[in-house]
Amino acid sequence: MTVRIAPSILSADFARLAEAVGHAKDGGADLLHVDVMDGHFVPNITVGPPVVAGLKRATSLPLDVHLMITNPDRYLEAFVEAGASMITVHAEVLPHLHRTLTAIRLLGAKAGVAINPSTPVASIGEVTAEIDHLLVMSVNPGFGGQPLIPRTFHKLTEARELLARAGSSAAIEVDGGVEVENAGALVKAGASVLVAGSAIFGSHDPAAAIRALRRAAEAG
Ligand code: DX5
Ligand code: ZN
């Protein structure tokens, strides 16, 4: 299986984002993961559309925008206009998930759903035809540098089975606590996109860290 590596800039130096995206490109990253937090859905606050627009100017890597915000509908257009190629919204905040996913695709971006560790995989069962990717949170969202919750392996396999049954070829992202030591097992369990923040930007050589993650992911 082809594995994509998505460095999360959450763990980069926000004063040197251009440098961080340069390292991501040098290391052969496939996507750039941007964590948007609003201080409501999660306790932390990060960045918004202006920073996404700045990243878009700084890199040719597709921007994978993970919205950890309570009202994503209000901002979809702004993020797509800013340059997001992929938009991921959280199932927990959306009573009209189908409508939101359809709206993301109509705007021209790839649509994804994220599920928290306490949210069952089955919650995306009715929208498999509307998603390009599913993001399985392997930590409680809000902060980088947390250890991966072991139950994630089971959820990834469940997600892979659910998508296969539905005839969906949606990618499965895993986000939180991803490192060289667990990358192979995560891919074996079902992940096809590895999001990693501290394992990459916490390293003294982020490009080498990306290459190491890819090797580990492909070695299983
Ligand atoms: C956490 C974010 C993650 C975060 C992962 O809420 O969604 O993308 O950057 O960071 P690490 O890889 O350090 O766990
Ligand atoms: Zn994320």
Side-chain angles (χ1 to χ4, degrees), residues 92-184:
E92 298 82 7
V93 298
L94 288 164
H96 308 294
L97 187 55
H98 184 283
R99 179 188 291 157
T100 302
L101 295 167
T102 306
I104 295 171
R105 282 182 163 179
L106 279 173
L107 288 166
K110 299 240 189 263
V113 179
I115 53 170
N116 280 339
S118 61
T119 302
V121 168
S123 62
I124 62 129
E126 300 301 325
V127 291
T128 54
E130 278 68 41
I131 63 171
D132 299 295
H133 55 282
L134 166 67
L135 186 155
V136 176
M137 284 304 310
S138 35
V139 298
N140 287 296
F143 303 95
Q146 306 176 77
L148 181 135
I149 296 168
R151 173 84 182 164
T152 303
F153 294 100
H154 176 79
K155 282 186 87 175
L156 288 170
T157 303
E158 242 189 280
R160 185 167 61 184
E161 287 168 2
L162 183 146
L163 291 171
R165 272 199 307 278
S168 161
S169 55
I172 301 179
E173 295 191 45
V174 60
D175 185 5
V178 174
E179 52 190 14
V180 164
E181 290 71 20
N182 57 26

Side-chain angles (χ1 to χ4, degrees), residues 38-42 67-73 75 90 93-95:
D38 66 352
H40 292 275
F41 178 60
V42 290
L67 298 181
M68 285 163 275
I69 64 180
T70 48
N71 193 346
D73 292 313
Y75 302 100
H90 268 265
V93 298
L94 288 164

Side-chain angles (χ1 to χ4, degrees), residues 193-209:
V193 180
L194 301 181
V195 177
S198 43
I200 292 172
F201 293 113
S203 147
H204 65 278
D205 186 345

Side-chain angles (χ1 to χ4, degrees), residues 35-105:
D35 289 302
V36 176
M37 306 185 187
D38 66 352
H40 292 275
F41 178 60
V42 290
N44 205 356
I45 300 178
T46 56
V47 299
V51 174
V52 173
L55 290 167
K56 182 70 187 166
R57 290 192 295 275
T59 183
S60 57
L61 287 174
L63 302 178
D64 171 27
V65 176
H66 177 189
L67 298 181
M68 285 163 275
I69 64 180
T70 48
N71 193 346
D73 292 313
R74 188 187 293 172
Y75 302 100
L76 298 177
E77 202 173 338
F79 280 107
V80 174
E81 265 174 25
S85 302
M86 299 161 67
I87 301 250
T88 310
V89 293
H90 268 265
E92 298 82 7
V93 298
L94 288 164
H96 308 294
L97 187 55
H98 184 283
R99 179 188 291 157
T100 302
L101 295 167
T102 306
I104 295 171
R105 282 182 163 179

Side-chain angles (χ1 to χ4, degrees), residues 7 18-29 59 61 205-211:
E19 230 170 86
V21 299
H23 291 315
K25 185 86 180 162
D26 291 348
T59 183
L61 287 174
D205 186 345
I210 293 168
R211 289 191 283 268

